[in-house]
Amino acid sequence: METVRDNATRVKRFRELKTTLRTDRTRLLVGLDIAQAEHVVHLRHAHTRVVTPALTIPNTTRGFTQLWAALTRAQRATGCREVVCGLEPTGTYHQAVATFLETQGADVVFLSSSVAYWNRRTQDGTWDKHDRKDAANCADLLEQGKVLFCSQPTGPLAELRQLVRCLRRARTELASCKARWRTTLRPALAPMGEPLPQRLWAELPPVLQAWERAAPGRPAVPKGRLPLGLATACADLGTQVTAVQTRIAVLEAACTPVAERLPAYPLLRTIPGVGPTVGAILLAEIGDIGWYTKFSQLRKLAGLDIVRVQSGQYAGQARISKCGRSLLRWALYHTAIGAARTVAGRARLAALKAKRRGDRFAGFKAVVELAAKQLRVIWGVWRSGTPYDPRRAGGLQRQAR
């Protein structure tokens, strides 16, 4: 039995597939509709005929063995030597079958969910959706060559991605706690347009006091002035926030040692604005810089590419696409904020704001543009393998703390 190929070999193979899927008739194309309990498979001799319209297999090792036996029979019947499998990444349900197919020597690629959504309607001119149609849709996208690279990270990168995924979940919970405080509990204490009276501010847990400013005056002593229900809700939220903040601190501390095992981490840390946690997130979200041949691919991954709607004489307003990985875009935004704390960074941010004079969102847009420039710097440093040189970036350099 073969083993899973390393990512460098798989990237080279993917680029070959990308250029030949639309024309090569010697491949067996396999479209998989992934589900929790069972998968539906569509087999097609590329650009020739449908071999098996629908084959249902359970999401078990025995089901995977049945699938490979069916693929072997189809190879003998069609004379195809290569097997290319395309699937939409569905949670983590696809990982087991994708790994199994890779170990058997098949090529596995991803299909974009948004592209599959629009292409599905072209199959039979209807808007319905079911598993058989989804599997056929995946095979059709394979014939069109509309595929994405299926990465199989191992070692420190795989560990770092798991840690970053947990960190993102914890930060999402913290954001929901802040929303609950801002929209539910805080309005019940006093009008939102004025600070809390000292007597009410003193009744709050310390973590909630840090979120709210108190009215000027003598510090008050807690005396149980809040109603029981409101006091219990505030205490419950304070306990939840404390637990989430502790989890975030533990996860951030765990990310750094894992990220340090990757050779690109010390290079990224030389860039102004890239701290320990942000650097770890950048590594986890980008993966390997060797997977990308052009900077535009990395910019699209972050959703910082410029798009606009145009038709005839009409041209809409240019904006960023906000597609790709939202966590990578978040990390780049905070990288820009960190870089803006330097002398050269403040001057650059001021220049970006000045060219948007009169725009009420000039500050936010300037930071986003600076984030795109930071991504260009990350691309250059990572690709070259040399530390950041402030002389090549307009004097922008890290300041000692």
Side-chain angles (χ1 to χ4, degrees):
M1 179 180 292
E2 300 183 22
T3 58
V4 177
R5 294 163 291 181
D6 60 279
N7 276 291
T9 304
R10 297 176 70 253
V11 167
K12 183 178 180 180
R13 174 61 177 166
F14 170 77
R15 290 170 182 163
E16 178 186 348
L17 288 173
K18 185 78 172 176
T19 57
T20 58
L21 275 173
R22 293 186 179 184
T23 56
D24 198 314
R25 296 176 178 266
T26 63
R27 294 191 178 107
L28 181 66
L29 304 184
V30 184
L32 292 97
D33 179 64
I34 303 297
Q36 180 178 3
E38 59 185 17
H39 310 317
V40 178
V41 184
H42 178 97
L43 305 182
R44 182 177 300 185
H45 187 179
H47 307 285
T48 304
R49 64 185 179 90
V50 174
V51 179
T52 304
L55 172 66
T56 302
I57 61 165
N59 189 11
T60 61
T61 304
R62 183 177 179 181
F64 302 160
T65 306
Q66 295 174 359
L67 170 61
W68 188 249
L71 295 182
T72 304
R73 291 193 299 269
Q75 280 185 284
R76 288 197 297 264
T78 58
C80 297
R81 294 184 177 182
E82 299 177 357
V83 178
V84 183
C85 305
L87 52 91
E88 293 182 61
T90 307
T92 56
Y93 300 137
H94 66 277
Q95 292 182 353
V97 65
T99 303
F100 175 84
L101 292 171
E102 284 273 1
T103 56
Q104 299 298 326
D107 295 301
V108 179
V109 294
F110 280 160
L111 306 170
S112 171
S113 298
S114 58
V115 174
Y117 172 80
W118 293 108
N119 190 74
R120 186 183 299 115
R121 302 186 177 192
T122 67
Q123 294 298 298
D124 52 9
T126 64
W127 294 266
D128 63 337
K129 179 184 183 301
H130 51 81
D131 294 344
R132 288 169 57 96
K133 186 175 180 180
D134 288 342
N137 186 36
C138 292
D140 184 66
L141 289 173
L142 281 176
E143 284 189 333
Q144 299 179 47
K146 298 177 179 178
V147 295
L148 302 174
F149 177 62
C150 173
S151 62
Q152 296 279 6
T154 58
L157 181 57
E159 298 176 23
L160 187 62
R161 283 191 169 181
Q162 290 287 350
L163 289 172
V164 168
R165 190 176 294 119
C166 293
L167 179 61
R168 179 176 186 173
R169 188 177 299 114
R171 287 188 176 277
T172 301
E173 293 181 18
L174 181 61
S176 66
C177 291
K178 290 182 178 180
R180 179 187 172 193
W181 165 253
R182 184 175 59 253
T183 61
T184 305
L185 299 180
R186 174 60 178 84
L189 296 174
M192 293 294 292
E194 59 187 36
L196 281 178
Q198 284 282 351
R199 58 185 180 82
L200 297 180
W201 184 84
E203 304 291 337
L204 301 177
V207 290
L208 300 185
Q209 290 179 351
W211 290 354
E212 201 61 41
R213 63 189 179 95
R218 296 171 53 187
V221 179
K223 294 183 179 180
R225 300 181 182 89
L226 293 180
L228 179 60
L230 188 56
T232 304
C234 291
D236 175 70
L237 180 61
T239 302
Q240 186 178 356
V241 171
T242 302
V244 172
Q245 289 178 342
T246 303
R247 286 169 48 200
I248 291 175
V250 171
L251 290 170
E252 288 181 347
C255 285
T256 303
V258 178
E260 288 175 346
R261 293 158 55 189
L262 296 170
Y265 183 73
L267 294 175
L268 297 184
R269 289 284 285 118
T270 63
I271 302 174
V274 179
T277 303
V278 171
I281 293 176
L282 291 173
L283 284 173
E285 291 296 293
I286 296 175
D288 187 351
I289 203 66
W291 297 349
Y292 313 94
T293 57
K294 299 181 293 185
F295 172 70
S296 59
Q297 296 173 339
L298 192 59
R299 188 175 57 199
K300 291 176 183 177
L301 181 72
L304 294 177
D305 53 314
I306 303 299
V307 297
R308 69 166 64 192
V309 177
Q310 301 182 27
S311 178
Q313 300 299 321
Y314 171 78
Q317 184 177 6
R319 60 177 181 83
I320 60 174
S321 65
K322 292 187 179 180
C323 298
R325 296 182 177 271
S326 58
L327 185 58
L328 174 59
R329 192 162 56 253
W330 176 91
L332 291 171
Y333 186 85
H334 283 267
T335 300
I337 292 177
R341 295 191 178 101
T342 64
V343 176
R346 282 195 295 270
R348 182 174 298 180
L349 187 62
L352 295 176
K353 289 181 180 178
K355 73 177 186 179
R356 296 179 173 86
R357 192 180 301 266
D359 188 348
R360 60 174 180 156
F361 300 109
F364 176 75
K365 292 179 180 179
V367 176
V368 172
E369 185 175 353
L370 185 58
K373 295 181 180 296
Q374 286 289 94
L375 182 60
R376 171 74 73 172
V377 174
I378 292 171
W379 165 263
V381 168
W382 199 341
R383 291 278 293 188
S384 65
T386 57
Y388 172 80
D389 186 0
R391 293 172 299 179
R392 302 181 61 183
L396 188 64
Q397 57 184 343
R398 181 182 292 274
Q399 292 184 343
R401 294 185 177 181

